[in-house]
Amino acid sequence: MTTLYRFLTEDDTSAFCHKVSKALAQGWVLQGAPTYAFDAARGVMRCGQAVTKEVEVPYTPDLKLGEQ
């Protein structure tokens, strides 16, 4: 069993909520609290959320995390 980790980020719009909701629907699990920070270079707020997932495949660095 392998535990996969992803950190999802997006501008503070509904796109972030949809990205996290899609990951949850695919079996990913929330890890910790979401983050919220100001991107001064772009002048926008950004959101982030860590997610993990247990899979039955061995880990390799070329594993496509979003496809698991």
Side-chain angles (χ1 to χ4, degrees), residues 36-61:
Y36 196 62
F38 183 68
D39 180 345
R42 295 180 49 232
V44 297
M45 293 301 292
R46 300 276 296 168
C47 299
Q49 175 65 58
V51 292
T52 61
K53 185 177 186 180
E54 298 288 330
V55 295
E56 295 282 342
V57 298
Y59 174 77
T60 62

Side-chain angles (χ1 to χ4, degrees), residues 5-21:
Y5 171 88
R6 293 172 64 196
F7 187 71
L8 307 174
T9 62
E10 185 65 56
D11 288 351
D12 182 20
T13 67
S14 63
F16 175 73
C17 296
H18 286 287
K19 185 182 279 190
V20 174
S21 294

